[in-house]
Amino acid sequence: MKLTVDTNKCSGHARCYAVAPEVFDIDDLGYALPLDVEVEEPIDERIAAGIAACPEHAIHLH
Ligand code: F3S
């Protein structure tokens, strides 16, 4: 599965980074940097928590 961040939807809440800094990265203003990585199932709970933490629904697993 692919984990991506839609940087057009990101509003800089930085909650994804707060939950899983080893997966998500942010710039100096707190906006998520582009992400496009393959992840294995079962999905790591920190990745799932990062997705759930984004109030803009900018993080997708597909
Ligand atoms: Fe952006 Fe959502 Fe993370 S708004 S910084 S992708 S929590």
Side-chain angles (χ1 to χ4, degrees):
M1 299 187 83
K2 246 183 187 198
L3 179 68
T4 61
V5 172
D6 182 348
T7 54
N8 291 319
K9 279 188 169 179
C10 174
S11 295
H13 295 283
R15 293 185 191 173
C16 54
Y17 180 74
V19 171
E22 71 281 9
V23 178
F24 302 100
D25 203 5
I26 56 173
D27 65 17
D28 291 342
L29 297 176
Y31 286 82
L33 296 175
L35 185 69
D36 186 359
V37 297
E38 286 288 337
V39 294
E40 302 293 326
E41 292 191 80
I43 302 304
D44 185 293
E45 64 184 37
R46 310 248 317 193
I47 292 175
I51 294 169
C54 179
E56 306 297 335
H57 306 291
I59 307 168
H60 301 284
L61 198 54
H62 41 132

